[in-house]
Amino acid sequence: MKPSQSENIMDLSALRIFKAVAEEGSVTQAAARLHRVQSNVSARLGQLEEGLGVALFHRTGRRMLMTVEGERLLSYADRLLQLAEEAQAAVAGGREPAGLLRIGSMETTAAARLPAVLAAFHRSYPDVDLQLETAPTDPLIQGVLNHKLDVALVAAPVNHHELVQHAVFDEELVLLTGHGHPPVASPHDVGRRALLAFRTGCVYRRMLEAWFAESGVPLARVSEFGTFEAIIGCVAAGMGVAVMPKEIMQLRDYRGTVAIHPLPDHIARVQTMLVWRSDVLHHPARAAFAAAF
């Protein structure tokens, strides 16, 4: 008897295959990731599309681009697979935390704050497979909301009723300028300089932009970077100014390369929050990680 459409949708194996193809954009790469033969991935994907009666991908050569229907299914697939993992963990009862824990973090937090936490957590829970992804705050929050991350370390404020949030670190932000720059009391002391910052979605960047805006000082432009080392290096080269957690600047000796200036408290004081979805109730690895702070 041919499976019904609902039975196809609830086939978790087919959903995992669909999700892998969607994320990799390629049947070949999805097959390698899932340790399956390519023909099996193609066949299962075709069966899912046939059962649903829609095309989930546009096939353009070897690339697989999701259709509108595919995008719609992906959001449900993420939720269904997460729920299945939660159910399995709940049925297992009091087992020690195990399995995959997907952690998101701001890059500066990952560099300055997380190494000791992750090392201690791994010693306590060796059966948990830790996966770390770094990004600015806004993409990390979306990753948690979309079930792509189990937890994330982001900058406050976090205004999402779907998320539980727990304050874990207090950060002090400082302004960076080129070495030898005179003391900075306000944006007027910097003038029209380029802002060197992380990609859009970084709360630290928004706070510095707001400080300049409230003082009526325009920024010449914003140059975006992927790493804090690149930002600090370009500040040292005289390309602009940046804001950075003071903790990062204490990782190594930057004397003689950049000047570090204090910022007003309403700009400088930022809390780092650990966030996770409020509707994922049973996740032993996540609970153990939250308790590590």
Side-chain angles (χ1 to χ4, degrees):
M1 183 173 66
K2 183 178 180 179
S4 69
Q5 290 186 4
S6 61
E7 287 173 331
N8 274 287
I9 294 174
M10 294 305 294
D11 183 341
L12 296 179
S13 177
L15 288 180
R16 288 191 183 93
I17 289 171
F18 161 70
K19 186 172 184 290
V21 174
E23 292 175 349
E24 298 293 340
S26 161
V27 169
T28 301
Q29 293 176 21
R33 170 174 152 184
L34 297 171
H35 305 291
R36 290 174 176 262
V37 296
Q38 185 175 334
S39 59
N40 175 261
V41 171
S42 295
R44 294 297 301 276
L45 191 60
Q47 290 167 4
L48 181 61
E49 290 180 313
E50 183 182 356
L52 292 170
V54 297
L56 298 174
F57 294 94
H58 298 294
R59 276 84 169 165
T60 57
R62 294 187 176 183
R63 300 302 298 169
M64 305 284 282
L65 304 176
M66 272 192 294
T67 62
V68 172
E69 293 79 10
E71 293 277 5
R72 191 174 299 129
L73 178 60
L74 183 61
S75 66
Y76 285 100
D78 286 332
R79 290 156 60 187
L80 287 167
L81 292 171
Q82 177 64 48
L83 188 61
E85 291 176 9
E86 183 183 350
Q88 185 177 12
V91 170
R95 286 191 321 181
E96 281 290 299
L100 178 64
L101 180 64
R102 301 164 300 174
I103 304 166
S105 174
M106 296 177 290
E107 200 215 359
T108 52
T109 303
R113 301 286 194 173
L114 273 187
V117 174
L118 294 177
F121 184 86
H122 181 66
R123 287 194 298 270
S124 298
Y125 305 103
D127 292 332
V128 176
D129 181 15
L130 298 173
Q131 178 178 301
L132 179 64
E133 175 181 327
T134 60
T137 286
D138 290 357
L140 292 174
I141 288 175
Q142 285 304 310
V144 175
L145 291 172
N146 294 335
H147 299 274
K148 297 183 185 301
L149 296 170
D150 299 309
V151 292
L153 289 149
V154 301
V158 179
N159 300 310
H160 289 274
H161 69 274
E162 303 99 326
L163 300 180
V164 177
Q165 52 183 304
H166 174 57
V168 290
F169 302 122
D170 291 317
E171 296 290 1
E172 178 185 353
L173 303 183
V174 293
L175 180 72
L176 307 184
T177 66
H179 178 61
H181 193 287
V184 175
S186 80
H188 294 281
D189 297 325
V190 176
R192 282 181 59 86
R193 301 298 301 276
L195 170 60
L196 313 180
F198 291 109
R199 300 185 302 275
T200 301
C202 173
V203 170
Y204 300 163
R205 166 180 169 172
R206 284 203 294 267
M207 295 180 75
L208 189 63
E209 289 173 330
W211 187 49
F212 272 74
E214 71 187 27
S215 299
V217 177
L219 289 161
R221 64 183 181 280
V222 178
S223 296
E224 297 185 347
F225 298 84
T227 68
F228 70 87
E229 291 98 337
I231 292 174
I232 295 172
C234 289
V235 171
M239 292 175 57
V241 301
V243 65
M244 201 67 60
K246 189 174 182 179
E247 192 78 13
I248 278 289
M249 305 310 295
Q250 295 173 344
L251 288 180
R252 58 179 67 98
D253 189 358
Y254 289 103
R255 287 176 298 181
T257 59
V258 299
I260 300 174
H261 309 269
L263 289 165
D265 278 352
H266 74 287
I267 300 295
R269 304 297 174 181
V270 183
Q271 280 191 313
T272 298
M273 316 297 291
L274 184 69
V275 301
W276 61 89
R277 287 195 62 99
S278 58
D279 58 353
V280 180
L281 303 178
H282 191 85
H283 196 309
R286 184 198 66 197
F289 185 71
F293 293 92

Short mmCIF file of all heavy atoms in Angstrom, two decimals, residues 17 21 26-32 35-45 61-62:
data_model
loop_
_atom_site.label_atom_id
_atom_site.label_comp_id
_atom_site.label_asym_id
_atom_site.label_seq_id
_atom_site.Cartn_x
_atom_site.Cartn_y
_atom_site.Cartn_z
N ILE A 17 17.23 13.58 5.62
CA ILE A 17 17.85 13.64 4.30
C ILE A 17 17.50 14.97 3.62
O ILE A 17 18.37 15.65 3.07
CB ILE A 17 17.39 12.45 3.44
CG1 ILE A 17 18.02 11.16 3.97
CG2 ILE A 17 17.73 12.66 1.97
CD1 ILE A 17 17.48 9.90 3.34
N VAL A 21 20.19 17.95 2.46
CA VAL A 21 20.29 18.45 1.09
C VAL A 21 20.04 19.96 1.06
O VAL A 21 20.73 20.70 0.37
CB VAL A 21 19.30 17.71 0.16
CG1 VAL A 21 19.30 18.34 -1.23
CG2 VAL A 21 19.65 16.23 0.07
N SER A 26 23.40 20.26 -2.16
CA SER A 26 23.96 19.25 -3.07
C SER A 26 23.62 17.87 -2.54
O SER A 26 23.79 17.59 -1.35
CB SER A 26 25.47 19.42 -3.17
OG SER A 26 26.10 18.27 -3.66
N VAL A 27 23.16 17.00 -3.43
CA VAL A 27 22.89 15.61 -3.04
C VAL A 27 24.19 14.90 -2.69
O VAL A 27 24.26 14.14 -1.72
CB VAL A 27 22.15 14.88 -4.17
CG1 VAL A 27 22.10 13.37 -3.90
CG2 VAL A 27 20.73 15.42 -4.32
N THR A 28 25.22 15.17 -3.47
CA THR A 28 26.51 14.51 -3.23
C THR A 28 27.06 14.86 -1.85
O THR A 28 27.49 13.98 -1.08
CB THR A 28 27.53 14.94 -4.31
OG1 THR A 28 27.02 14.59 -5.59
CG2 THR A 28 28.87 14.25 -4.08
N GLN A 29 27.05 16.14 -1.50
CA GLN A 29 27.57 16.56 -0.21
C GLN A 29 26.69 16.08 0.93
O GLN A 29 27.18 15.73 2.01
CB GLN A 29 27.72 18.08 -0.18
CG GLN A 29 28.79 18.59 -1.14
CD GLN A 29 28.86 20.11 -1.17
OE1 GLN A 29 28.42 20.79 -0.26
NE2 GLN A 29 29.41 20.65 -2.26
N ALA A 30 25.38 16.08 0.72
CA ALA A 30 24.46 15.57 1.75
C ALA A 30 24.70 14.09 2.00
O ALA A 30 24.69 13.63 3.14
CB ALA A 30 23.02 15.82 1.33
N ALA A 31 24.92 13.33 0.91
CA ALA A 31 25.18 11.90 1.05
C ALA A 31 26.45 11.65 1.85
O ALA A 31 26.50 10.78 2.72
CB ALA A 31 25.27 11.25 -0.33
N ALA A 32 27.49 12.44 1.57
CA ALA A 32 28.75 12.30 2.31
C ALA A 32 28.55 12.64 3.78
O ALA A 32 29.07 11.95 4.67
CB ALA A 32 29.82 13.20 1.70
N HIS A 35 26.67 9.82 5.43
CA HIS A 35 27.28 8.51 5.25
C HIS A 35 26.33 7.55 4.54
O HIS A 35 26.18 6.39 4.91
CB HIS A 35 27.72 7.92 6.60
CG HIS A 35 28.62 8.84 7.38
ND1 HIS A 35 29.91 9.13 7.00
CD2 HIS A 35 28.39 9.54 8.53
CE1 HIS A 35 30.45 9.97 7.87
NE2 HIS A 35 29.56 10.24 8.80
N ARG A 36 25.69 8.05 3.49
CA ARG A 36 24.79 7.26 2.65
C ARG A 36 25.30 7.32 1.20
O ARG A 36 26.06 8.22 0.84
CB ARG A 36 23.36 7.82 2.68
CG ARG A 36 22.61 7.61 4.00
CD ARG A 36 21.27 8.34 3.95
NE ARG A 36 20.46 8.10 5.13
CZ ARG A 36 19.49 7.21 5.21
NH1 ARG A 36 19.21 6.44 4.17
NH2 ARG A 36 18.79 7.06 6.32
N VAL A 37 24.85 6.36 0.40
CA VAL A 37 25.19 6.42 -1.01
C VAL A 37 24.31 7.46 -1.69
O VAL A 37 23.17 7.70 -1.27
CB VAL A 37 25.02 5.04 -1.69
CG1 VAL A 37 25.99 4.03 -1.10
CG2 VAL A 37 23.59 4.56 -1.57
N GLN A 38 24.84 8.07 -2.72
CA GLN A 38 24.13 9.17 -3.37
C GLN A 38 22.79 8.73 -3.94
O GLN A 38 21.80 9.47 -3.87
CB GLN A 38 25.01 9.75 -4.47
CG GLN A 38 24.43 10.98 -5.15
CD GLN A 38 25.42 11.58 -6.15
OE1 GLN A 38 26.62 11.42 -6.01
NE2 GLN A 38 24.90 12.28 -7.16
N SER A 39 22.74 7.54 -4.52
CA SER A 39 21.49 7.07 -5.13
C SER A 39 20.39 6.93 -4.09
O SER A 39 19.21 7.19 -4.37
CB SER A 39 21.73 5.74 -5.83
OG SER A 39 22.21 4.76 -4.91
N ASN A 40 20.77 6.52 -2.86
CA ASN A 40 19.77 6.37 -1.80
C ASN A 40 19.21 7.73 -1.40
O ASN A 40 17.99 7.88 -1.21
CB ASN A 40 20.41 5.70 -0.58
CG ASN A 40 19.47 5.63 0.61
OD1 ASN A 40 19.56 6.46 1.50
ND2 ASN A 40 18.57 4.65 0.61
N VAL A 41 20.08 8.75 -1.29
CA VAL A 41 19.61 10.09 -0.94
C VAL A 41 18.68 10.62 -2.02
O VAL A 41 17.61 11.17 -1.72
CB VAL A 41 20.82 11.04 -0.75
CG1 VAL A 41 20.35 12.50 -0.61
CG2 VAL A 41 21.62 10.63 0.48
N SER A 42 19.04 10.45 -3.29
CA SER A 42 18.21 10.93 -4.39
C SER A 42 16.85 10.22 -4.39
O SER A 42 15.81 10.86 -4.59
CB SER A 42 18.91 10.69 -5.73
OG SER A 42 20.09 11.47 -5.82
N ALA A 43 16.87 8.92 -4.16
CA ALA A 43 15.62 8.14 -4.17
C ALA A 43 14.70 8.56 -3.03
O ALA A 43 13.50 8.76 -3.23
CB ALA A 43 15.94 6.64 -4.07
N ARG A 44 15.26 8.71 -1.83
CA ARG A 44 14.43 9.09 -0.68
C ARG A 44 13.86 10.50 -0.86
O ARG A 44 12.72 10.76 -0.48
CB ARG A 44 15.24 9.01 0.61
CG ARG A 44 15.68 7.61 1.00
CD ARG A 44 14.47 6.69 1.27
NE ARG A 44 13.63 7.20 2.34
CZ ARG A 44 13.86 7.00 3.64
NH1 ARG A 44 14.92 6.30 4.02
NH2 ARG A 44 13.04 7.47 4.55
N LEU A 45 14.65 11.39 -1.43
CA LEU A 45 14.18 12.73 -1.67
C LEU A 45 13.06 12.72 -2.70
O LEU A 45 12.04 13.41 -2.54
CB LEU A 45 15.34 13.61 -2.15
CG LEU A 45 15.09 15.12 -2.21
CD1 LEU A 45 14.73 15.66 -0.84
CD2 LEU A 45 16.33 15.82 -2.75
N GLY A 61 21.92 21.91 -12.56
CA GLY A 61 23.18 21.17 -12.62
C GLY A 61 23.28 20.28 -11.38
O GLY A 61 22.40 19.50 -11.09
N ARG A 62 24.38 20.44 -10.65
CA ARG A 62 24.56 19.66 -9.42
C ARG A 62 24.06 20.39 -8.19
O ARG A 62 24.09 19.85 -7.10
CB ARG A 62 26.04 19.33 -9.23
CG ARG A 62 26.60 18.39 -10.30
CD ARG A 62 28.01 17.97 -9.96
NE ARG A 62 28.52 17.00 -10.92
CZ ARG A 62 29.71 16.42 -10.82
NH1 ARG A 62 30.52 16.74 -9.82
NH2 ARG A 62 30.11 15.54 -11.72
#
